[in-house]
Amino acid sequence: MGRLFGTDGVRGVANTELTGEMAYQLGRAGAYVLTKEKKHAPRILVAMDTRISGDMLESALVAGICSVGAHAVLAGVIPTPAVAYLVRHYRLDAGVMISASHNPVEYNGIKFFSNQGYKLSDELEEEIEDIVLSRMEVLPCPIGSGIGTKSYAEDALDDYIAFLRDTTKERFRGIKVALDCANGAAFKAAPITMLELGAQLCIIHNEPDGTNINEKCGSTHMEDLAALVKENGADIGFAFDGDADRCLAVDENGELIDGDKILAICGCEMKAKGELKKDTVVGTVMSNLGLTIMGREQGISVLQANVGDRYVLECMLAEEYNLGGEQSGHIIFLDYNTTGDGVLTAIQLLTVMKRSGKKASELAKIMEVMPQVLVNARVNNTKKNDYMRVPEIKLAIEALQEKFSGEGRVLIRTSGTEPLVRVMIEGKDKEAMEREAKKLASFIEDKLQ
């Protein structure tokens, strides 16, 4: 990957790593690269999540966009998938989301979308990066009437909610739904949509103040949602991340329904209705082995893309599949949207519940989760991609892979957004897996400081 772009845009601590100056430069270079073939003054949608640094970065980004003669259309606080949809709906030339997704409040990020609502290819990101780092002189500097302007998409949230509402023919009357909005971008979109679809709601973490996004809540902290479901007798609960492009669920007993299980439930429903293209679901190398076993039993092929919903999408587009996603809750329903969409995912899962008349716990039994252990090694960010170049680490990984061969698997990968090397072991003996994963993670931490 490039020096600026990770697996999901440009991300860093706001005002030190991701500065206003960087946002301005990205606005200029991104607007130029994405719209240079246009014969008209391009229009670019700009949105953000609820982070306090959003206003600062939005101002700088918009200044950059306008400085190269493009027009910025501000949508305010909406989910990331709303950008992907609205760029197409409004027939705009590109879109930008200011968000660091599930990361803590001090982080922020900038991710671009094409006019078709897709995250950018590596090639386009590298072109933007090359300009920012070494070729800013190629950018135009119009004057007078050639300078861009900003306007406001005042109906952005309403238009996105109308889109979500139309993705199902069911109405959820009689279903009690718990929501954890992570004090993030879904804090309006999710509750309003669910209410319009007839669900009865109980809601937590939907009062963002600029500093509490993802703070012990949302899809990375499921405890509060599980408690809310059980305390209120809800039929199911959904938790989103900060920009609402991912969703995890809990059943009526507070038990986790992760992204793999959501893929299994929705995949089987789509296959039964003849809607699952090529009877195939696209997961990732981190998908639980239980998803593959479920597929074998249900006549569904389960493919494994690289980690990152952009790579899941690339696989889906290349082979014309229409369902894919990650264990973390990025689920792509390509018949409806071009990226992971947390609220859409909740709607599709509720649709299966309504049609089947089954409890969430019963639906989740379609897939048995194999024990899986994930331990993060926190390392020097500049060294995280070099772990296989350290002979001692390479030998330790190979020894561990040999130890679990035949009865499980070992997967080592770096985080695209944080200074982490992830050690994942899947198998039967959870105690042994935890012991070995912690041992290897500690060894990697020592070697990569």
Side-chain angles (χ1 to χ4, degrees), residues 34-42 93:
L34 292 175
T35 65
K36 61 185 176 182
E37 305 299 329
K38 306 295 180 183
K39 304 299 182 184
H40 59 270
D93 299 290

Side-chain angles (χ1 to χ4, degrees), residues 68-258:
V68 294
H71 300 293
V73 182
L74 276 58
V77 174
I78 56 173
T80 289
V83 176
Y85 167 72
L86 292 171
V87 163
R88 307 192 311 276
H89 181 66
Y90 294 153
R91 298 183 180 180
L92 302 179
D93 299 290
V96 192
M97 181 67 182
I98 302 168
S99 174
S101 189
H102 63 285
N103 289 155
V105 66
E106 62 267 25
Y107 289 85
N108 216 325
I110 294 173
K111 43 190 166 187
F112 293 92
F113 290 86
S114 72
N115 64 343
Q116 296 299 309
Y118 294 118
K119 291 179 181 178
L120 304 190
S121 65
D122 290 344
E123 291 74 22
L124 279 175
E125 288 187 342
E126 287 165 5
E127 185 177 355
I128 293 171
E129 181 173 276
D130 180 51
I131 290 173
V132 169
L133 294 177
S134 60
R135 294 195 303 122
M136 292 296 284
E137 70 276 2
V138 306
L139 299 177
C141 293
I143 60 173
S145 61
I147 294 173
T149 60
K150 73 176 180 181
S151 59
Y152 297 89
E154 296 178 356
D155 296 327
L157 181 62
D158 291 340
D159 289 339
Y160 175 58
I161 290 170
F163 151 73
L164 290 171
R165 195 175 58 238
D166 290 343
T167 62
T168 184
K169 295 179 181 178
E170 301 296 330
R171 291 298 177 264
F172 306 136
R173 295 179 188 88
I175 300 179
K176 192 171 188 178
V177 178
L179 297 178
D180 179 346
C181 296
N183 291 315
F187 83 103
K188 288 183 180 178
I192 294 172
T193 304
M194 291 298 173
L195 287 172
E196 291 191 2
L197 288 171
Q200 181 182 351
L201 295 185
C202 46
I203 312 170
I204 52 173
H205 304 307
N206 66 322
E207 297 180 351
D209 63 9
T211 65
N212 59 1
I213 186 171
N214 298 321
E215 186 178 7
K216 297 180 180 178
C217 60
S219 60
T220 53
H221 297 275
M222 300 292 287
E223 302 84 3
D224 284 3
L225 179 65
L228 183 70
V229 166
K230 290 188 283 187
E231 288 169 5
N232 289 271
D235 298 296
I236 193 168
F238 298 104
F240 309 103
D241 64 339
D243 68 336
D245 64 352
R246 69 168 78 175
C247 169
L248 293 179
V250 295
D251 66 19
E252 72 279 6
N253 302 311
E255 295 297 319
L256 177 66
I257 301 176
D258 67 7

